[in-house]
Amino acid sequence: VITVVGAGRVGSAAALDIVLRRLDDVLLLDIVEGLPQGEALDLGHAASSYGIDVEITGSNDYRDMAGSDIVVVTAGVPRRPGMTRLDLLQRNAEIVRQISSRIVEYAPKSKLLMVTNPLDAMTYLALKATGFPPKRVFGMGSILDSARFRYFLSKRLGVSRSSIQALVIGEHGENMLPLLSHTSVSGVPLPEIVSTDGVKGTVEETRGTAAEVIRLKGGTVYAPAAGVGEIVEAVVKDRKAVFPISAYLDGEYGVRGVCIGVPAVLGREGIERIVELQLVDEEMAVFMRGVEALKKVVSKLEISQ
Ligand code: 2OP
């Protein structure tokens, strides 16, 4: 069973994505009475239309997550227009602490996929609060940023999104790092297709687009849900897929003691390996600004080591 904690817009859309990928039965958990049960029914009806036989259950009882292989945490206060991800920090930290203790109690062998913002800080908090090994705790942020980067690159280049390989790493926030240096079109390095100046705008578009969606419709929903589905699929199917996710660094990139977006190999055990990229100085500077920002944020959380 895959448990999704938080039956709000992102949680229920993530549940739908998992159902459509036929990955496993889904349990939706939320403290609001009726909401997860109602979403589960609605999702079950959708699954029926698609001819998909997975079971979708809604519950307000954390004990029901017993035996879950993966717990996806979307619960928390969402980012509102004009808010930064960090504004959410203290409110969501309390929620994540409570959920972490339930996970330790009822699903101690699970892998934990964090979605709640501020993403990298909440991933770190969940890691510390559960005491799980770092390979079992990761966050969905950079994979979403990367999907957005490919979206904007595809528009500029006039080629299919599926032909673009592009990566965003670093903080899921102000210091996110879209890597033009590691972008290719079906293996052809970007500079051989277009002058880098021609696509520089995509970096700013990628950084700013979540705020734009939030301004327009009050929150991001389908794109985060798709990022969750990709990651859950890689784990459930033991695909050894390489995705940028928020992972705990213990010396990689010369960094220790934060969770931040880096490419990693994902399989049944969770994070099987962190991939270290060669970054140019300019990129490394942005990456390190993210590290420093996150260290500062995490220091406000008073996490006991
Ligand atoms: C997003 O990037 C708001 O962090 C959320 O969609």
Side-chain angles (χ1 to χ4, degrees), residues 82-290:
M83 274 172 104
T84 73
R85 292 176 178 91
L86 296 188
D87 293 336
L88 304 174
L89 182 66
Q90 298 296 351
R91 294 275 306 270
N92 285 349
E94 197 40 49
I95 295 170
V96 167
R97 277 198 183 94
Q98 286 172 10
I99 293 169
S100 297
S101 70
R102 300 285 185 281
I103 293 170
V104 171
E105 206 174 339
Y106 300 118
K109 298 213 168 94
S110 61
K111 273 134 309 206
L112 200 51
L113 174 56
M114 298 302 299
V115 183
T116 304
N117 267 324
L119 189 270
D120 301 294
M122 293 302 106
T123 305
Y124 181 83
L125 175 59
L127 175 73
K128 294 296 169 182
T130 55
F132 283 4
K135 67 176 183 178
R136 284 206 272 133
V137 182
F138 32 91
M140 192 291 301
S142 296
I143 194 170
L144 163 60
D145 301 328
S146 299
R148 290 172 173 150
F149 191 30
R150 289 198 305 274
Y151 170 92
F152 290 115
L153 284 165
S154 154
K155 285 205 172 300
R156 289 288 172 109
L157 298 171
V159 303
S160 162
R161 292 165 198 165
S162 64
S163 297
I164 296 174
Q165 294 79 43
L167 203 55
V168 179
I169 63 168
E171 182 192 4
H172 180 61
E174 308 310 310
N175 299 297
M176 85 174 54
L177 178 54
L179 291 174
L180 278 175
S181 62
H182 289 70
T183 299
S184 75
V185 179
S186 287
V188 182
L190 199 59
E192 291 175 31
I193 294 190
V194 68
S195 87
T196 319
D197 279 351
V199 289
K200 270 210 172 114
T202 57
V203 170
E204 286 318 311
E205 285 172 322
T206 302
R207 288 199 175 117
T209 197
E212 174 75 352
V213 176
I214 291 164
R215 186 180 69 75
L216 290 166
K217 61 169 275 197
T220 60
V221 179
Y222 306 112
V228 168
E230 280 189 280
I231 292 173
V232 172
E233 179 163 22
V235 174
V236 169
K237 296 191 175 167
D238 195 24
R239 282 187 56 208
K240 321 287 186 200
V242 180
F243 287 144
I245 52 163
S246 187
Y248 181 77
L249 296 187
D250 188 20
E252 297 87 355
Y253 293 82
V255 173
R256 221 174 276 277
V258 289
C259 293
I260 191 166
V262 288
V265 182
L266 282 177
R268 187 175 297 123
E269 305 295 316
I271 298 176
E272 307 209 337
R273 192 157 55 83
I274 287 172
V275 180
E276 285 193 72
L277 303 172
Q278 295 299 319
L279 301 179
V280 299
D281 289 352
E282 215 174 275
E283 293 165 342
M284 198 59 195
V286 177
F287 187 80
M288 290 310 294
R289 274 210 300 278

